Amino acid sequence: MARVLSNSELENFPALEWPETAARMDPLLRRTLEQVLESQDGAVLSRDECLQLAYAEGDDLLGLLVAADALRRELSGNLVTYVVNRNINFTNVCFVGCKFCAFSRGPRESDSYFLTFEQLAQKATEAWQLGATEVCIQGGLPHGLPPFYYRDILRAIKRAVPGMHIHAFSPMEIVYGVELTGMPLADYLSMLRDNGLGTLPGTAAEILDDEVRHILSRNKLSTGQWKQVIRTAHGCGIRSTSTLMYGHVETPTHWVNQLLLLREIQQETGGFTEFVPLGFVHQNTLLFQQGLSRPGPTLAEHLKIHALSRILLAGSINNIQVSWVKLNRRLSQLCLHAGANDYGGTLMEENISREAGATAGQYTSPDQFQSLILAAGRIPAERNTTYSRIQIKLQPEPATFEQSLTPEFA
Ligand code: SF4
C-alpha cells in the first residue's frame, strides 16, 4: 500500500525533477505517464490507465504532479494567463435548492436581492472603465421570471457597453430560459448569441453523473440536459468553459468519467476554451451540515485534480484554470505547478464562493495577479475570454505583443 504523503511533502513537490521522481514510481504508472509526455496527447491512455492515475498515492502521486507540470511547460509554455473581468450575480433568489449552495435565498428573505437592468448596465460600464474586457453574469433561478429576461439582460449591457464580452448563463439558466419561452433549444441559444451572448460558463456541471447529482440537487438539470445544452451551444458558435466540482461525495472514478466525456465533446465540437476544477467550499452548505459530504477537498485532492486534468485533457483542452476564489492564494500557486496555466478572472465582485465560506476575497487587481504569477516563477499575460488575444505583462516596463492563436473552434 502506498504511503500517505504529508502536507509538507505535497507543498514541496515543485522542487522535484521528473527523473528522480519517476525512479520511485510504480513502473507501470511511470510508463503510462511517459506515453503522454512523449505524445502530448491524453487520448493515448485507456480508461483503466486513467483510473490508475486518478487513484495514485504516495510517490506515484508525486510523479503525476511533476509529469503534469512538465506537460504544461510543453503545451502552454511559461505564461500564466488571466482575464480582467467582473462577476455580476444579478439575483440570489432561486427555487432550485442545490444542497452545495449557500448563495441562494427565498424571495422573502431579508437579504434577497434583484438588480435592475439599469444597475447591470451601470456595473458593466464601471467594469469597462476599469479595464475589464468581460462580464460574467449568472444568477439564481427565481419563479416567474419574464420569458425573455436573459435576452433583455444582454440587450441592456450591450446598449451600455457594446465592446464588452458577455460570458453568461449556466446550462441550468439556459434550460430555464427554454422552458420560459417555449422555444427550441438551438433557436433560443441563437437568439441569445444574436443579442450579444459571447460565451457560456460550463457551470452547473458539478459531477456529470445522475446518481451523484440526485444527492447534490434533485431539481438541477440532468447530465443528458447539460450535454445537450453544451453541444448545441457549440454548434451555434457559442464556446464555453468546462467545469467539475470536487471534494464532496464523488470519487476519482467520477473525475475520470467526466474528463473523458469532456474530451469526447471537445473532439466533436472544439468548443471548450478551458477546464476549471472547482473545489467544493463546504462550510455553510446543507450538503455538509447534513453529513452528506466530506469537508471539502484535501490538499492532495486539490493538486491531483489539476494534474490529472492536464494529463487526460492534453491535446484536447490545453487550458487548465485555477479557481483562486475557491482556493487560497498559496494553494492557487501550488496548482499552477501541478499542471494549471490560467489564473481565471480578476473578478471585481464574487458572491457565490464567499457565501459558502471561501476566504480568498472578492477581487484581485491585475497588478496583484501579475505579482502572484511572477512570484510563482512564471510570466503573467492578460488574455481575452477565448484566449485568441494574449498580452504579456512584464514588470517593471510592460512589453506587449498580440499573439493570434490557432482557432480551435470547429
Ligand atoms: S447553485 Fe445555482 S441553481 Fe443551485 S441553488 Fe444555488 S443559485 Fe440556485
Side-chain angles (χ1 to χ4, degrees):
M1 193 165 144
R3 67 196 176 86
V4 175
L5 297 170
S6 67
N7 276 359
S8 105
E9 274 178 291
L10 285 166
E11 282 172 14
N12 289 312
F13 88 87
L16 300 173
E17 298 288 342
W18 172 245
E20 55 170 307
T21 319
R24 291 200 300 269
M25 291 183 72
D26 173 282
L28 281 179
L29 272 187
R30 171 188 175 159
R31 185 65 210 128
T32 299
L33 287 172
E34 281 169 348
Q35 281 182 69
V36 187
L37 288 173
E38 282 158 21
S39 63
Q40 300 182 8
D41 184 358
V44 298
L45 300 177
S46 67
R47 184 167 183 277
D48 275 355
E49 288 171 324
C50 295
L51 285 168
Q52 280 157 13
L53 292 175
Y55 283 93
E57 300 292 347
D59 289 322
D60 293 338
L61 173 54
L62 291 176
L64 173 68
L65 303 180
V66 175
D69 193 41
L71 194 56
R72 181 272 308 160
R73 232 178 348 258
E74 291 296 323
L75 290 170
S76 317
N78 278 330
L79 295 189
V80 174
T81 46
Y82 61 90
V83 62
V84 180
N85 69 350
R86 181 172 202 170
N87 239 26
I88 306 178
N89 304 124
F90 57 92
T91 180
N92 60 356
V93 177
C94 188
F95 64 78
V96 180
C98 304
K99 288 192 168 175
F100 60 84
C101 175
F103 167 73
S104 75
R105 297 289 186 277
R108 277 183 279 281
E109 286 188 66
S110 59
D111 55 352
S112 65
Y113 71 85
F114 221 117
L115 301 181
T116 63
F117 291 138
E118 291 69 32
Q119 288 170 314
L120 291 173
Q122 179 60 30
K123 280 177 180 285
T125 305
E126 283 165 14
W128 183 258
Q129 286 162 353
L130 289 168
T133 58
E134 170 195 296
V135 281
C136 174
I137 301 180
Q138 298 179 93
L141 279 75
H143 278 301
L145 207 59
F148 291 91
Y149 196 80
Y150 296 138
R151 178 201 66 187
D152 293 343
I153 288 180
L154 298 169
R155 287 184 174 173
I157 290 178
K158 279 291 179 185
R159 232 185 341 261
V161 204
M164 185 67 92
H165 181 101
I166 306 181
H167 179 63
F169 310 135
S170 73
M172 182 75 214
E173 288 170 304
I174 297 298
V175 165
Y176 189 37
V178 164
E179 188 185 310
L180 289 168
T181 57
M183 292 172 72
L185 175 61
D187 292 354
Y188 184 72
L189 284 162
S190 300
M191 175 190 70
L192 295 184
R193 179 200 61 209
D194 294 343
N195 280 276
L197 179 65
T199 45
L200 216 63
T203 46
E206 285 93 47
I207 289 292
L208 292 168
D209 176 293
D210 286 333
E211 272 181 38
V212 173
R213 297 179 81 71
H214 196 68
I215 300 169
L216 302 182
S217 176
R218 292 186 182 189
N219 301 321
K220 206 75 179 263
L221 80 174
S222 66
T223 301
Q225 287 175 304
W226 190 91
K227 292 192 287 190
Q228 193 190 15
V229 170
I230 290 294
R231 284 191 166 112
T232 309
H234 292 180
C236 293
I238 304 166
R239 300 187 71 180
S240 74
T241 60
S242 56
T243 66
L244 175 155
M245 186 175 77
Y246 63 97
H248 42 94
V249 304
E250 90 294 354
T251 66
T253 302
H254 294 114
W255 300 356
V256 168
N257 292 344
Q258 191 143 328
L259 291 170
L260 295 182
L261 169 68
L262 296 176
R263 204 172 69 194
E264 183 188 314
I265 296 176
Q266 185 72 337
Q267 270 155 8
E268 287 167 26
T269 70
F272 289 128
T273 51
E274 72 234 47
F275 174 68
V276 195
L278 299 169
F280 171 50
V281 182
H282 68 285
Q283 283 91 340
N284 303 326
T285 66
L286 269 182
L287 193 69
F288 177 66
Q289 286 160 2
Q290 292 180 345
L292 297 171
S293 76
R294 51 192 194 276
T298 60
L299 174 58
E301 286 176 312
H302 282 300
L303 298 174
K304 190 192 276 184
I305 185 71
H306 288 81
L308 189 72
S309 54
R310 167 61 69 193
I311 299 285
L312 268 57
L313 298 176
S316 173
I317 305 176
N318 285 333
N319 295 311
I320 308 295
Q321 183 179 113
V322 293
S323 174
W324 64 268
V325 286
K326 300 201 185 279
L327 309 172
N328 58 42
R329 295 199 176 138
R330 169 78 187 129
L331 196 43
S332 300
Q333 306 279 79
L334 278 177
C335 290
L336 287 179
H337 290 286
N341 67 305
D342 184 74
Y343 226 127
T346 52
L347 299 176
M348 290 173 198
E349 56 195 293
E350 206 283 336
N351 298 316
I352 292 172
S353 301
R354 186 167 48 88
E355 296 266 2
T359 53
Q362 291 190 62
Y363 175 58
T364 300
S365 72
D367 283 353
Q368 286 172 304
F369 259 54
Q370 290 163 26
S371 301
L372 288 166
I373 292 164
L374 287 165
R378 308 269 278 280
I379 304 163
E382 184 184 334
R383 64 168 170 88
N384 64 354
T385 308
T386 56
Y387 297 74
S388 60
R389 243 192 2 260
I390 292 180
Q391 189 178 51
I392 293 184
K393 303 280 182 183
L394 286 175
Q395 292 170 341
E397 287 294 318
T400 61
F401 75 90
E402 292 208 334
Q403 177 188 359
S404 290
L405 299 179
T406 311
E408 289 168 34
F409 195 69

